[in-house]
Amino acid sequence: MVEKLEVFWTLAVVALLAGVAGYSTILLYHLDALPSDPTEYVEVIGHQWYWEFCYPANNTCFNTSYDAANGSLSGGYFWAPPGAVVQINVTSADVVHSFNIPALGVRIDAIPGRMNHFAFSVPNGTPGTLYLIQCTEFCGEFHGTMRSYLKLT
Ligand SMILES: [Cu+2]
């Protein structure tokens, strides 16, 4: 009787772990999936110490610099319409950076010589709403000022 119980519990645990492993593998695969038709397609390039954004559909690239002394941004915002599905391709021109929009759960490394892909949904907020962008990989002297904003348009 005791042996049968042992076999049952062992098989129950094996079945449970196999289920968790299978589900996690499928979920991980889908997390990396990119949308087939994103609303915006943006290339993000990290530099010491600013972000460059390129919109291939608009044939435009611009740098955004953050002035920590007065908290102002120059060069333009990373923009997207409310509710958009945005695909970003992220790389770096010099050292390793990390592109992070904390409020939207976006975080992806910017690595020289490598293109990382990520897609996220922009909230249905009021046009003009700003979301902080901050480099989250220590990248040198002015890492702390490597900021920008995502602006709803
Ligand atoms: Cu950085």
Side-chain angles (χ1 to χ4, degrees), residues 47 49 51 96-98 135-139 143 146:
H47 298 263
W49 291 273
W51 293 105
V96 176
H97 302 278
S98 188
C135 179
T136 49
E137 183 73 45
F138 182 70
C139 57
H143 159 71
M146 195 169 163

Side-chain angles (χ1 to χ4, degrees), residues 16-111:
L16 182 73
L17 290 178
V20 169
Y23 183 71
S24 303
T25 304
I26 292 166
L27 200 63
L28 277 172
Y29 179 77
H30 284 288
L31 275 178
D32 282 342
L34 294 171
S36 56
D37 190 21
T39 320
E40 294 292 344
Y41 177 85
V42 186
E43 296 193 355
V44 179
I45 303 148
H47 298 263
Q48 283 176 312
W49 291 273
Y50 59 91
W51 293 105
E52 178 183 357
F53 298 102
C54 290
Y55 287 75
N58 301 40
N59 211 7
T60 179
C61 285
F62 54 91
N63 301 328
T64 70
S65 304
Y66 180 76
D67 185 345
N70 56 24
S72 67
L73 191 77
S74 60
Y77 293 95
F78 173 20
W79 53 265
V85 175
V86 179
Q87 181 181 331
I88 51 175
N89 294 339
V90 184
T91 189
S92 169
D94 37 48
V95 300
V96 176
H97 302 278
S98 188
F99 183 78
N100 182 217
I101 311 175
L104 304 185
V106 174
R107 183 173 181 176
I108 185 157
D109 284 343
I111 299 166

